[in-house]
Amino acid sequence: LEHHPGTPEALLSAALEQRDRANSGQLEIILGSIEPGSFRSPSLAGFWARMSLQVGNRKAGVEVLVTLVRKGLALPVDRFALVSALMTDGEHEQAERYLGLVGSGSHGPLKWRILRARVLLRNGRLDEALDITNRILDSHPMERNAVEIQEQVARLKNEP
């Protein structure tokens, strides 16, 4: 990277250094100077998009992640970041559209399974959200997020 200082990869490396130093202003400037289409690797484009989301450049981050998902090039962590951003923005139906298999396994990362349950809950798929949280609580009986989702499901099912 030292031999190619102007490449997107070198700039992304510089951005990482700024993130490690907690210099969000400089990080945002560096990320903004990189054209996401210039990466030769989809995983680097996804990494750029996830970092962009972290510094508040939601539009660009979401746009790149949507493109990666549509092309079948997104890593699971990219899909997770996209769905999380869409949920934060209140775009629950879009979030479900891009959810794919994130959080569908019984042994995947807990935060991915919780996200899946939240997406399903927000889209009215209560039984599926309840099923996921039941499986979570089987292995993590004190998981607060799963309990909260189950409480929300119970309230929604009891509404007239």
Side-chain angles (χ1 to χ4, degrees):
L1 295 176
E2 294 172 4
H3 302 294
H4 307 284
T7 65
E9 292 81 5
L11 290 170
L12 196 54
S13 177
L16 274 173
E17 289 177 22
Q18 296 305 317
R19 184 184 74 173
D20 291 344
R21 293 182 187 144
N23 189 343
S24 61
Q26 189 65 27
L27 174 60
E28 192 170 350
I29 291 168
I30 292 170
L31 290 173
S33 72
I34 302 171
E35 176 59 43
S38 64
F39 290 111
R40 289 176 253 152
S41 163
S43 60
L44 287 176
F47 184 70
W48 176 90
R50 294 189 311 274
M51 287 184 67
S52 293
L53 290 174
Q54 289 177 4
V55 298
N57 190 352
R58 298 183 77 70
K59 184 177 185 244
V62 166
E63 185 178 297
V64 168
L65 292 172
V66 164
T67 300
L68 290 172
V69 169
R70 286 185 178 159
K71 290 181 176 183
L73 301 172
L75 298 173
V77 69
D78 296 332
R79 199 177 279 270
F80 178 84
L82 173 60
V83 171
S84 295
L86 292 171
M87 288 294 288
T88 299
D89 293 345
E91 297 181 38
H92 306 130
E93 289 177 14
Q94 284 285 85
E96 186 174 357
R97 180 174 164 202
Y98 293 112
L99 191 59
L101 296 176
V102 166
S104 63
S106 296
H107 303 290
L110 184 60
K111 67 181 182 177
W112 294 12
R113 292 182 281 157
I114 292 292
L115 177 64
R116 182 175 204 83
R118 287 193 192 288
V119 169
L120 295 170
L121 172 68
R122 295 285 182 247
N123 285 304
R125 295 172 58 184
L126 304 181
D127 291 334
E128 292 171 77
L130 194 57
D131 181 51
I132 290 172
T133 55
N134 282 334
R135 285 185 276 141
I136 290 170
L137 291 170
D138 284 345
S139 57
H140 299 85
M142 304 301 287
E143 173 50 47
R144 182 181 52 83
N145 291 303
V147 171
E148 288 174 4
I149 292 169
Q150 285 196 336
E151 290 170 351
Q152 291 174 348
V153 167
R155 274 194 302 278
L156 290 169
K157 284 188 167 193
N158 290 325
E159 287 182 355

